[in-house]
Amino acid sequence: MARSLFKGFDLRARPSVDGLAVNSCSFFQANVSLPGLAILAVLDDEDDEDEATVLQVAEAVEGIQKEGGGARLSKRDNENETYFIPLGFPYQLPKTYYKGSDPEWESFVQLSKNRERRERLKNELVAIVWKSVGDHPPLQRILGKQMVPRKFWIDIDYPDILPPEYEQRG
């Protein structure tokens, strides 16, 4: 009998862990990846029209579920048979700052100059929070049913950098 340096470590448990990993990946592919590809294929096939209808997307998902994940995804699959195989994990690209000419930055500048719009946005945010807290039963028991926002302080911070971008080799 082979002795292990670690007490309680069973070498026979390894195949069951491997089987669990393979089954989990198969389940993910059959139930998440393929319906998502069908939705993208329907949206991709509808380039001529404005947009795909919800019924077309639902029919594509139902077709995949009925056929057990083996439905035809797109007419273009036979034409272009390139697949992306990820190698490694995605990594974040270096941060880039906004330029003065960026449309997002210009919208931040417009918002900072428009006091009326800023106050309206703050009041809308307070109303959303007030409604969600008022509809929460445990908080109603603690704070009472008649909650009224009296004072609030909300600062609007504008980001200096663009949202993070990620890249993956493959």
Side-chain angles (χ1 to χ4, degrees), residues 27-55:
F27 178 80
F28 176 79
Q29 181 183 11
N31 294 315
V32 178
S33 298
L34 290 176
L37 287 175
I39 291 169
L40 291 176
V42 168
L43 294 174
D44 193 32
D45 286 343
E46 295 298 322
D47 287 342
D48 306 15
E49 301 167 12
D50 289 350
E51 57 185 42
T53 64
V54 175
L55 288 174

Side-chain angles (χ1 to χ4, degrees), residues 66-117:
K66 285 180 186 175
E67 296 181 22
R72 182 183 66 80
L73 297 179
S74 173
K75 295 179 238 177
R76 298 179 187 165
D77 284 345
N78 296 333
E79 297 170 8
N80 186 4
E81 293 191 13
T82 59
Y83 297 102
F84 179 77
I85 301 172
L87 302 174
F89 293 103
Y91 59 93
Q92 188 173 354
L93 296 176
K95 298 176 182 178
T96 54
Y97 290 90
Y98 281 110
K99 297 176 188 170
S101 60
D102 286 338
E104 278 184 284
W105 185 256
E106 290 175 358
S107 67
F108 294 153
V109 170
Q110 288 175 357
L111 180 62
S112 69
K113 291 179 180 178
N114 192 346
R115 180 181 174 88
E116 182 180 301
R117 184 171 174 215

Side-chain angles (χ1 to χ4, degrees), residues 8-22:
F9 182 73
D10 188 10
L11 295 174
R12 293 173 290 183
R14 174 77 186 202
S16 63
V17 173
D18 291 343
L20 178 66
V22 169

